[in-house]
Amino acid sequence: MRTIFALLSGMALVSCSGGARSLPVAPALPTDQMALIQPSDSYKLLFSFNASDGQEPIGGLAAVKGTLYGATRNGGEHGDGAFFKITTRGKQTVLYSFKAGSDGFTSVTPPTFMNGVLYGTTPYGGTSQSNGTVFRMTTRGKETVLYRFNGSPDGGVPQAPLIGVGGVLYGTTCSGGTSNHGTVFQITPSGAEKVIYSFQGSPKDGQCPEAALTDVKGKFYGTASSGGSKSNGIVFAVTT
C-alpha cells in the first residue's frame, strides 16, 4: 500500500478545464521494490538430482526435438555417472548408467547431436589405463563405445565437447599424444580415430586443451589451458 501511495503522490492531478493535458512521469521504484513485482514465472526449478538418478551435472544440455539430454559426473546406478533426458516440464529419465569399466565414467561434457544420434566423451575408463572414451547414445538409451583412448600416442582424458563437421566428429584430449600434452583428434561415427595434432608443451606450444573447438570456414580454433612462452596457456588454429 505504501508503494501505491508513493506512486499516486508523485503524480500531479490533471485539471479538466481547457488546454492540452500532459501527465508527468511517475517516479521510478527503487531496485528492491522492483524485485517485488517481477513475473513469478521468470525462473522455475525443473528437477533436483538425488544421486541414484545422477549427481553433479556439470556438462550442460543438448536440445533434440524439444527434449533435453545431458550427463552427470557422478551418481546413477553404479555411482559413476549417468546419461539422462529431461522434458521442459521437468520429467527426468535415466537412459544409461556408466559402470566405470570399459564403457567409461565421469562424463563432464554436453552431448553432441549429429544425424539422429547423440555423441559424448568420458575422461576416464575405457582401457586398463583409464584414458577415457568416445561413445554413441541413441535417444532411447542404447550406448555404444566408439573408441577407447590409450594415452600415447592417440590421446587421453577428453574433457571438451565434440563438434560435428561434415559427418565427422572432432575433439581434444587434455593428455596423451606423442609428448603427453594433449591432442586434437577426429573420429568417424563408426569409431575410426585419427590424431590431427599432438601438443608439445612449453615454451613453443600449449598443453591440455580443455575447451570445445570452434569451426570457422573449415579451420578449427581453440585454447589450451597451459603451455606457451610463459606457461599461461595459448590460443591455436589447426586445419582438419
Side-chain angles (χ1 to χ4, degrees):
M1 291 296 294
R2 292 181 179 178
T3 300
I4 296 174
F5 178 77
L7 285 171
L8 293 176
S9 62
M11 300 176 63
L13 296 176
V14 180
S15 173
C16 294
S17 59
R21 297 180 298 172
S22 60
L23 292 174
V25 178
L29 287 173
T31 303
D32 59 342
Q33 293 184 21
M34 285 294 292
L36 299 176
I37 60 173
Q38 294 299 314
S40 60
D41 60 350
S42 61
Y43 169 83
K44 182 179 180 181
L45 191 155
L46 292 180
F47 183 78
S48 292
F49 291 91
N50 60 21
S52 64
D53 52 19
Q55 183 179 358
E56 297 183 60
I58 66 174
L61 301 168
V64 180
K65 297 180 180 179
T67 300
L68 303 167
Y69 295 84
T72 65
R73 180 164 59 180
N74 295 309
E77 182 179 353
H78 310 288
D80 299 305
F83 194 95
F84 66 92
K85 69 177 181 180
I86 186 168
T87 68
T88 54
R89 293 188 176 184
K91 182 181 179 181
Q92 191 255 23
T93 303
V94 174
L95 296 178
Y96 184 79
S97 289
F98 294 96
K99 303 179 181 68
S102 61
D103 65 337
F105 66 100
T106 310
S107 185
V108 295
T109 63
T112 299
F113 184 71
M114 186 177 74
N115 298 332
V117 182
L118 295 152
Y119 296 88
T121 62
T122 66
Y124 308 114
T127 65
S128 59
Q129 289 79 25
S130 192
N131 286 299
T133 70
V134 177
F135 65 87
R136 176 177 63 220
M137 186 81 65
T138 69
T139 54
R140 293 187 176 183
K142 178 177 174 54
E143 189 259 9
T144 304
V145 175
L146 294 181
Y147 190 78
R148 297 176 176 90
F149 291 96
N150 297 291
S152 180
D154 63 340
V157 191
Q159 299 192 62
L162 301 167
I163 64 170
V165 178
V168 178
L169 297 159
Y170 296 86
T172 61
T173 65
C174 187
S175 64
T178 57
S179 299
N180 201 34
H181 292 309
T183 69
V184 178
F185 69 90
Q186 70 174 35
I187 186 168
T188 67
S190 61
E193 191 259 9
K194 176 183 177 182
V195 174
I196 296 175
Y197 184 76
S198 289
F199 290 90
Q200 305 302 308
S202 296
K204 296 182 178 181
D205 198 5
Q207 64 188 68
C208 192
E210 298 179 272
L213 297 169
T214 298
D215 175 38
V216 181
K217 297 181 179 180
K219 181 179 285 188
F220 295 121
Y221 295 83
T223 60
S225 60
S226 58
S229 60
K230 302 294 183 181
S231 297
N232 292 314
I234 66 164
V235 177
F236 65 87
V238 62
T239 66
T240 57

